[in-house]
Amino acid sequence: MASNRLVCRECHRVNEPDRETCDSCNSSSLTEDWAGYVIIAHPDKSEIAREMQVDEPGSYALKVR
Ligand SMILES: [Zn+2]
């Protein structure tokens, strides 16, 4: 179910469609080539969040190419 949503290469945030910059870090390095959608609700309690160095709740991609 790949969508046209763009993922930030810097922070792995999944942005809403048609964004030109990342909602989270304002990077313009966005890509459609990503896999593994995860929702992180409690970054401080999440192993995945720690591994991905995520400190803000939201939707993220596990793999970004
Ligand atoms: Zn970002």
Side-chain angles (χ1 to χ4, degrees):
M1 49 170 251
S3 69
N4 58 356
R5 295 215 272 181
L6 297 171
V7 167
C8 177
R9 287 193 181 92
E10 305 298 331
C11 69
H12 288 201
R13 179 78 167 223
V14 177
N15 291 281
E16 295 304 311
D18 305 322
R19 294 298 166 93
E20 288 180 3
T21 57
C22 175
D23 281 345
S24 181
C25 72
N26 280 325
S27 167
S28 59
S29 182
L30 306 178
T31 177
E32 287 184 53
D33 195 4
W34 58 274
Y37 183 82
V38 291
I39 295 172
I40 296 176
H42 302 287
D44 51 328
K45 295 174 186 166
S46 165
E47 289 281 331
I48 295 171
R50 206 169 304 144
E51 275 177 34
M52 293 171 63
Q53 301 182 320
V54 163
D55 55 13
E56 194 183 323
S59 312
Y60 294 88
L62 287 176
K63 288 182 186 169
V64 180
R65 291 178 197 91

